[in-house]
Amino acid sequence: VEELVDLVGLERLRSLELGYGSVQGSIALRRAVGAACGTPAEHVLTTQGTALALFLLAFEVCGPDSDIVLATPCFPPARETLQACGSRVRTVPLSFDAGYQLDPGRVSAVLGPATQLVSIASPQNPSRVRVANDAIHELLRLMRKRAPRALLFIDETYREATYGDDPIPISAASIDARIVTGGSVSKAQGAPGLRVGWLTIADAALRERLTVAKMNVTISGSPLDEALATAILQHGDRILAPRRRMLAEALAITRSWLDSEHRRIEWVAPEAGALCCMRLRSDMFDDAAVNRFWGALEPHALQLAPGDWFGEESRVLRLGFGFLEPDRLPAALGAVSRALNSL
Ligand SMILES: Cc1ncc(COP(=O)(O)O)c(C=O)c1O
């Protein structure tokens, strides 16, 4: 908050009125999102986090018995919002062994004329692997042939969370009118408590339906949160650069620990964000040892997410390397090694 108050200026914040905001989101925020995503401000609908974006899209596009295609593993609400709306969800499991690369041909195999939505994330959660632009273009081509009514939703919540000086890939928002993207200031910008996110929707009729749905659920976003989020986006690199540097440092520490553990652990290197997927090698740990591993973590006060939480096998783990300050990370990783030793 201190950082943001300095950016916005206390006087400006003091003069803000706390009436309802506009349903679409403040025009300043929509312009800032539009500039970041390469899309007109009119295409942007702000939401309370990408979380609300997922819900609104599921609620509005995916009624009972609609056919939806979802790449997994995924952020659990990406699946649960669809299921809660009664959709038939056909999953396309991406595999650790294939480095969580999305194969458009495999998605195509479950597409049909009744498919209403294809839902993917880039970078994905939990793997933080991106879907390459070529794959998105190929997916659109296949959708045109096999599922002409379908929209392609791309959750871009981690798009800007790149490492150090790595370039930030452009948003898919402007690639094709059938693409809807979602994003927020929660991850790369480190401000999940603001609860500010967005959808970009090129199709005017769909945008209108989603706007009405948002109004019925929340009336509007908070003008205070939106003003702070606008400042975050307007000062893009000033906010992002220190966080990207810290992530790069933490990733380097994690990489060197994983190199030293390569006989016991394999991993898929992430392309963004503060998490990655690793797997306990099956030639070193049988299933019983994997079960014991979770108990062995307890005395070390470590929190790792088990793969079955996001639709993977339990020997896959999601490791967060961005939560601790980098100088505390080696000790935490060493504690994971000691938990493995105890098996
Ligand atoms: C892929 C993905 N989408 C959406 C969200 C929701 O985040 P928020 O609502 O804070 O934008 C998360 C949070 O972890 C996520 O991992």
Side-chain angles (χ1 to χ4, degrees):
V1 170
E2 190 179 17
E3 218 179 329
L4 284 179
V5 169
D6 288 348
L7 285 181
V8 182
L10 194 53
E11 281 315 306
R12 253 215 74 216
L13 285 182
R14 288 162 90 105
S15 66
L16 262 182
E17 283 185 22
L18 291 182
Y20 290 116
S22 97
V23 183
Q24 291 89 345
S26 81
I27 184 62
L29 177 58
R30 286 188 296 136
R31 282 197 185 117
V33 173
C37 297
T39 198
E42 297 71 50
H43 289 189
V44 178
L45 174 68
T46 70
T47 55
Q48 273 83 337
T50 320
L52 182 65
L54 288 169
F55 171 75
L56 291 177
L57 198 64
F59 181 72
E60 202 45 52
V61 176
C62 314
D65 296 329
S66 54
D67 262 7
I68 311 297
V69 174
L70 174 71
T72 63
C74 63
F75 177 53
R79 181 204 297 259
E80 281 156 25
T81 48
L82 297 170
Q83 285 171 337
C85 293
S87 311
R88 249 189 321 273
V89 181
R90 301 178 198 277
T91 56
V92 179
L94 311 186
S95 80
F96 187 99
D97 289 315
Y100 292 113
Q101 294 296 326
L102 183 105
D103 173 354
R106 291 196 46 224
V107 178
S108 174
V110 290
L111 292 177
T115 309
Q116 255 141 345
L117 183 78
V118 176
S119 176
I120 65 176
S122 177
Q124 301 156 41
N125 180 355
S127 71
R128 303 306 193 266
V129 170
R130 289 184 192 286
V131 179
N133 258 3
D134 288 355
I136 291 175
H137 283 285
E138 176 62 4
L139 191 52
L140 287 168
R141 190 185 69 78
L142 294 166
M143 283 169 61
R144 202 171 293 121
K145 263 174 53 185
R146 297 180 53 92
R149 289 176 28 205
L151 292 169
L152 175 58
F153 174 65
I154 308 183
D155 181 334
E156 297 187 326
T157 301
Y158 297 92
R159 180 175 67 88
E160 293 173 298
T162 50
Y163 305 121
D165 296 325
D166 289 357
I168 295 175
I170 58 158
S171 164
S174 59
I175 291 182
D176 190 286
R178 283 168 303 161
I179 294 181
V180 173
T181 71
S184 71
V185 295
S186 295
K187 308 296 180 179
Q189 291 85 356
L194 281 184
R195 307 309 303 132
V196 173
W198 54 84
L199 284 165
T200 67
I201 317 132
D203 179 307
L206 176 62
R207 199 163 60 239
E208 177 61 24
R209 280 163 51 206
L210 288 162
T211 306
V212 172
K214 177 187 164 188
M215 188 184 70
N216 286 328
V217 176
T218 68
I219 303 182
S220 77
S222 146
L224 178 57
D225 294 351
E226 292 200 345
L228 295 175
T230 305
I232 288 184
L233 292 177
Q234 284 172 341
H235 291 83
D237 213 42
R238 181 157 156 193
I239 300 284
L240 290 173
R243 289 164 175 83
R244 294 169 68 196
R245 270 198 301 279
M246 195 196 110
L247 279 185
E249 192 185 337
L251 179 61
I253 293 168
T254 307
R255 187 186 292 279
S256 103
W257 173 72
L258 282 158
D259 284 349
S260 72
E261 282 288 2
H262 74 277
R263 283 201 180 74
R264 301 196 290 188
I265 304 173
E266 51 199 331
W267 72 309
V268 176
E271 292 173 280
L275 298 164
C276 65
C277 283
M278 49 191 223
R279 183 165 70 182
L280 302 184
R281 286 190 187 273
S282 54
D283 52 350
M284 296 294 288
F285 304 102
D286 59 15
D287 289 346
V290 171
N291 287 338
R292 288 201 305 280
F293 172 70
W294 294 102
L297 289 178
E298 269 166 32
H300 301 286
L302 293 167
Q303 287 185 359
L304 293 165
D308 42 20
W309 186 54
F310 38 80
E312 257 289 4
E313 51 177 342
S314 61
R315 67 174 58 247
V316 174
L317 334 166
R318 193 187 71 177
L319 173 85
F321 51 84
F323 181 66
L324 295 174
E325 291 297 319
D327 59 350
R328 293 181 61 205
L329 185 57
L333 296 172
V336 179
S337 293
R338 285 203 299 287
L340 289 175
N341 295 345
S342 73
L343 304 182

